[in-house]
Amino acid sequence: NGSGAPVANATVTAFETVGLGAAPMGTTDQNGQITLAIDTGAPLSLVVDPPASAKLAGARVAVPAGGGSTQVTLGPGLYVYGQVTTPTNVLPGNVLIEVLCYSCGSTTPITSAITDSAGNYQLYVPDPGDVILDGGVGD
């Protein structure tokens, strides 16, 4: 975290951005460390999702081809949760929820979550501090 303390039980997924698109994943140990077997010839997008109890925002980090050791620092987060439903009140599972920064002009998600079998999701977004935010949901 921002204080240098390890974050245990964070889910780490390494998405290949070229090649076969493999996505090995695992969970950090008590020392905040994890080892993933990756294709060293492909660049990666490393997604780190801390457990909700850590109250930290997740992170997405680019890792160049060749792999190696990468340190990721997670900052404070704001808890966001909800439920996805359809007009016929179906609660869909496995729906991707992405948080974007429209004012930044970026199409890269800040963080993401996938709904459970009841359509529920939860995630932490980076804490902007004392800033007034306009939050909304889009299709």
Side-chain angles (χ1 to χ4, degrees):
N1 66 21
S3 302
V7 178
N9 300 315
T11 301
V12 179
T13 309
F15 294 99
E16 282 188 7
T17 55
V18 297
L20 299 175
M25 67 180 295
T27 305
T28 58
D29 64 17
Q30 294 302 316
N31 297 316
Q33 297 181 0
I34 185 170
T35 300
L36 297 174
I38 60 168
D39 176 0
T40 57
L44 305 169
S45 180
L46 193 66
V47 177
V48 181
D49 292 313
S53 60
K55 298 182 179 178
L56 298 169
R60 189 177 294 252
V61 178
V63 178
S69 179
T70 301
Q71 182 171 328
V72 179
T73 301
L74 305 176
L78 299 174
Y79 185 54
V80 176
Y81 64 95
Q83 185 177 55
V84 175
T85 62
T86 68
T88 57
N89 293 324
V90 172
L91 303 173
N94 297 320
V95 174
L96 176 63
I97 307 296
E98 293 183 327
V99 177
L100 303 172
C101 178
Y102 286 112
S103 64
C104 302
S106 175
T107 57
T108 301
I110 296 170
T111 189
S112 60
I114 296 179
T115 60
D116 63 17
S117 60
N120 298 306
Y121 67 90
Q122 62 180 356
L123 48 82
Y124 276 84
V125 296
D127 187 345
D130 294 330
V131 176
I132 296 174
L133 297 177
D134 178 18
V137 176
D139 290 339

